[in-house]
Amino acid sequence: MLPDVFIQEGPIQARDETTMTANTTTEQIRIFDTTLRDGEQSPGASMTLEEKLQIAEILDEMGVDIIEAGFPIASNGDFEAVSEIAKRSKNSVIAGLARAIHADIDRCGEAVKHAGKGRIHTFVSTSPIHLKFQMNKTEDQVLDIITDTVTRSRNLIDDVEWSAMDATRTPIDYLCRCVEAAIKCGATTINLPDTVGYATPDEYKAMFEQIRERVPDSDKAIFSVHCHDDLGLAVANSLAGVAGGARQIECTINGLGERAGNAALEEIVMAVRTRSDIMPYVTRIDPKFLVRASKMVSGASGFAVQYNKAIVGKNAFAHESGIHQDGMLKNAETYEIMRPEDVGVKATSLVMGKHSGRHAFRDKLKELGFDLGDNALQDAFRRFKDLADRKKHVYDEDIEALVEDEITILGESTKVIALTVIAGTGGPQKAILTMDVNGQHITKECTGDGPVDATFNAIKSIVPHEATLSLYQVHAVTEGTDAQAEVSVRLEAGGRIATGKGADTDTLVASARAYVSAMNKLALRQQTGNPGALQAV
C-alpha cells in the first residue's frame, strides 16, 4: 500500500442515495495546487504579494493538501511570497519549485523552512527532444543530475518531490531508470507530468502502471500527475493517471497555467465526487469554496472565466431551453448532476430568454410576486418573447417592468400601436404615430424640438388635451446598450395628477407608452367633472 494513503470506511455519499452504487473503501487523492506557481506563469497573470496571500489562505482553508506557492529563485518577490505563505499556512504542505541546480534547491529550502510542513519540488527534463535541444546532456549525465539534486534536496528537508519534465515523451525504459534513481536518493513523491499535453488517457494510465510495476521500491513513493490542456485532455488524463496508480493530482484553480492551461482543480474534485460509483476516491477539498476561489483567482490574474466553464462558469447551473426548464421545475436531477449549493452557487438559474417556455415564465412570475390570469399571462408571455428576441439577456427587472407595463395598459381605451421617429442634427425631428383610440386607428405626423417632443406632440394631435407635463424621467432597467428603458411621465390638469410608466428597449416607444398611460389615468379621474376632456380627433 502507498504511504500516507487514507482509507475511509463506508459508502461515498452521492447526490441521490437511490441511484448510488456503494463502495466499501475509498482512497484519498492528494490535491496539489499550483495556481500560484504554474498558474502565475500564464502570460499576463502575475499577481501581487497580497493577492497571493489571499489565494493561499483560501486554498489552505478549503482543504488543499499541497500548495506550490512559487518559484523562490525566480525573483525576490517570489521568494518573499513563498516564505510568507509558509509562515501563515495552517494545514497545507507548502512547496517551492527548484530546477536541478544547487542554488535553486538551496533558495527553495530557505523559503519553505518556515512552514509547519514544507516541500522542495525539483525537476529535470528526461525526453530525448529536451535532452538534445534544451539541455545538451546525455541520458547518463541526467541520471547523475537526478542523484545529485534529489540527494541535496533530501539533506535539507524530508519531503522531496521529483518531476520528470516531458515524461510522456520519454522512452519507458529510460524513465524507469530515472524514477528508480530519484526514489533511491530519497524522493517521497514522483511526478510524471504530461508537460506539453501530448498524451491520451489510455497512454497515460499505462505509463503509471508500467513504472510502478517495473521500478524497485516504487511503493515507497506517492506518484503524481501533472497534465496540461493543449489537446483538451488535462482532466481526463489526470483521472486516467489516478486509475493507473497515482495518488496526487497537480492542478490549478480555473485551469490557469502555461499555454492552454492545467487540469482544473474544480473539475477534478467534482468529477471524483460526482462519479464515486466508478472512482473510489475522496479528496479533502470542501467544494463549497470552489466558486469563491474561482472568482478570487480570476480577479487576481485578470483572466475571466468563460461562461460555459465547467463547475464555476456563469452558465454552469443556468438553463434557458424551455424543455430543460420544464424538467428542472419538475425534478432538478433531470438536467443537473450536481447541486449548485455544493460548489458555492446560491441556486440554479432559470435564464429567461427566447428559448424559455410558459411553464418557466409562469414560475418566474410567481417568484417575482405576480399572479396573472390566463389571458393576462398569455399577453405577458407574448410580450416577453418579443422582448427576448430584441435583447440578449432578459433579467428579472426586465420582466417586472414588462408585466407592470402590461398591467397598466390592460383596459386602457387609448394605446400606442406604432411609432416611427426621424431625428438627427439636421432637424426638425419628426414623429409618425399610430394610436388605437376606442378601437379606431389614427395616424398623425408631427415635428418637435427633439424626438421626444415630436412624439408627445403627435399624441396631443391625436388626443387633444390641456394637461401639462410636470415630470419626464428615464432610467435603464438593466445594463448594456440593449437595456430595457423604463420611462415615467407625470401629467397635471385641473388640479389632478396622474403618473404613467412605460417600458421598452426603445426609449422613445417607452416614452410614448408612459405618456399615454398617464393620459388615460388622468382622463379616468376627470370623467366625473368633464367626461369629454380627452377626445380623439
Side-chain angles (χ1 to χ4, degrees):
M1 182 178 293
L2 297 176
D4 296 328
V5 174
F6 291 81
I7 304 298
Q8 175 178 303
E9 298 297 331
I12 298 175
Q13 295 300 312
R15 173 169 179 162
D16 183 356
E17 293 188 5
T18 62
T19 60
M20 178 182 68
T21 300
N23 291 298
T24 56
T25 62
T26 55
E27 292 187 63
Q28 185 208 340
I29 302 300
R30 292 179 172 187
I31 296 298
F32 177 112
D33 182 275
T34 184
T35 303
L36 299 176
R37 198 277 299 171
D38 198 331
E40 199 198 16
Q41 288 177 202
S42 299
S46 294
M47 307 173 197
T48 66
L49 174 60
E50 186 58 36
E51 287 169 337
K52 289 181 179 181
L53 294 176
Q54 290 175 355
I55 292 170
E57 183 178 355
I58 194 172
L59 294 176
D60 189 55
E61 189 177 359
M62 72 192 288
V64 167
D65 297 283
I66 304 99
I67 299 172
E68 189 166 52
F71 200 166
I73 198 69
S75 69
N76 289 333
D78 242 34
F79 177 84
E80 182 184 0
V82 176
S83 299
E84 192 61 33
I85 290 169
K87 293 174 184 176
R88 297 187 182 196
S89 174
K90 297 177 180 177
N91 305 300
S92 304
V93 174
I94 303 302
L97 186 68
R99 293 169 297 180
I101 300 172
H102 285 191
D104 278 40
I105 292 168
D106 294 345
R107 188 69 164 162
C108 186
E110 182 69 20
V112 302
K113 72 178 183 181
H114 305 288
K117 295 174 286 185
R119 173 182 294 188
I120 293 175
H121 177 197
T122 186
F123 68 97
V124 68
S125 291
T126 56
S127 69
I129 191 169
H130 278 214
L131 267 59
K132 180 179 180 180
F133 293 104
Q134 186 172 17
M135 297 187 66
N136 193 27
K137 300 287 185 183
T138 66
E139 290 185 348
D140 287 341
Q141 286 176 318
V142 169
L143 282 169
D144 289 341
I145 290 172
I146 294 169
T147 299
D148 174 56
T149 53
V150 172
T151 299
R152 189 177 187 90
S153 300
R154 189 58 193 265
N155 286 337
L156 294 175
I157 200 165
D158 290 336
D159 190 347
V160 175
E161 177 173 339
W162 175 78
S163 290
M165 187 154 73
D166 206 18
T168 53
R169 294 193 295 176
T170 301
I172 193 70
D173 290 342
Y174 180 60
L175 188 58
C176 284
R177 292 171 63 195
C178 292
V179 171
E180 182 178 357
I183 292 175
K184 188 175 294 185
C185 293
T188 51
T189 301
I190 299 295
N191 180 38
L192 303 178
D194 186 22
T195 304
V196 293
Y198 180 73
T200 63
D202 287 344
E203 292 172 332
Y204 203 50
K205 175 185 176 184
M207 180 186 72
F208 279 95
E209 290 174 335
Q210 291 181 59
I211 294 291
R212 293 177 64 245
E213 181 180 346
R214 293 173 54 177
V215 172
D217 295 326
S218 63
D219 60 338
K220 292 183 178 179
I222 297 287
F223 279 80
S224 179
V225 300
H226 180 119
C227 299
H228 281 263
D229 209 33
D230 298 72
L231 295 177
L233 296 172
V235 171
N237 281 337
S238 297
L239 296 175
V242 170
R247 289 297 178 266
Q248 175 178 288
I249 298 178
E250 304 191 6
C251 45
T252 61
I253 300 294
N254 297 337
L256 195 66
E258 291 270 17
R259 303 182 312 281
N262 290 272
L265 181 149
E266 60 276 3
E267 295 176 25
I268 294 290
V269 168
M270 293 311 294
V272 170
R273 179 184 173 93
T274 304
R275 293 310 311 274
S276 60
D277 55 328
I278 60 171
M279 289 185 281
Y281 317 116
V282 292
T283 73
R284 295 185 190 274
I285 303 297
D286 182 346
K288 290 184 176 63
F289 285 86
L290 293 176
V291 168
R292 182 175 149 202
S294 170
K295 290 179 179 178
M296 184 178 293
V297 170
S298 177
S301 66
F303 281 37
V305 177
Q306 67 195 61
Y307 278 21
N308 62 330
K309 169 74 172 64
I311 315 300
V312 295
K314 183 177 180 179
N315 290 347
F317 295 94
H319 309 266
E320 181 178 332
S321 163
I323 295 173
H324 286 223
Q325 289 177 341
D326 182 68
M328 286 294 299
L329 290 168
K330 292 172 180 174
N331 187 315
E333 290 191 27
T334 53
Y335 290 101
E336 283 186 356
I337 60 173
M338 297 168 282
R339 292 178 298 196
E341 57 268 27
D342 287 345
V343 301
V345 176
K346 184 177 180 181
T348 291
S349 173
L350 298 186
V351 179
M352 303 309 296
K354 64 181 180 179
H355 301 111
S356 299
R358 286 180 178 80
H359 188 178
F361 184 67
R362 182 187 293 110
D363 191 75
K364 173 60 72 174
L365 290 179
K366 289 181 179 178
E367 178 185 321
L368 296 175
F370 295 105
D371 188 9
L372 303 184
D374 290 342
N375 291 338
L377 175 65
Q378 181 61 30
D379 288 340
F381 184 68
R382 174 184 52 76
R383 294 189 65 198
F384 160 72
K385 284 288 192 176
D386 290 342
L387 177 63
D389 280 334
R390 294 198 302 264
K391 70 192 305 274
K392 292 181 180 179
H393 305 292
V394 180
Y395 300 93
D396 288 357
E397 294 87 350
D398 287 313
I399 296 174
E400 289 174 344
L402 179 149
V403 175
E404 287 170 351
D405 189 39
E406 177 74 15
I407 292 170
T408 298
I409 66 174
L410 284 175
E412 291 183 344
S413 60
T414 305
K415 300 176 184 178
V416 174
I417 300 299
L419 174 65
T420 300
V421 176
I422 301 171
T425 57
Q429 285 71 39
K430 182 189 299 183
I432 304 169
L433 177 68
T434 299
M435 294 178 61
D436 181 326
V437 182
N438 298 319
Q440 180 185 2
H441 284 200
I442 303 171
T443 300
K444 292 287 184 177
E445 179 179 312
C446 292
T447 59
D449 185 13
V452 175
D453 188 51
T455 299
F456 289 176
N457 286 341
I459 295 172
K460 292 178 183 178
S461 178
I462 294 174
V463 185
H465 58 273
E466 300 299 324
T468 58
L469 179 67
S470 60
L471 172 71
Y472 173 71
Q473 192 174 63
V474 182
H475 76 272
V477 175
T478 49
E479 73 271 13
T481 56
D482 64 350
Q484 189 173 202
E486 187 174 78
V487 177
S488 297
V489 166
R490 182 180 299 149
L491 296 178
E492 298 184 19
R496 293 180 172 84
I497 300 174
T499 300
K501 290 185 178 182
D504 197 272
T505 51
D506 187 317
T507 304
L508 295 173
V509 173
S511 299
R513 287 178 174 167
Y515 193 102
V516 171
S517 174
M519 192 177 66
N520 278 314
K521 291 178 180 177
L522 194 61
L524 288 172
R525 292 170 187 175
Q526 289 179 326
Q527 279 180 1
T528 54
N530 184 7
L534 299 178
Q535 297 291 333
V537 296

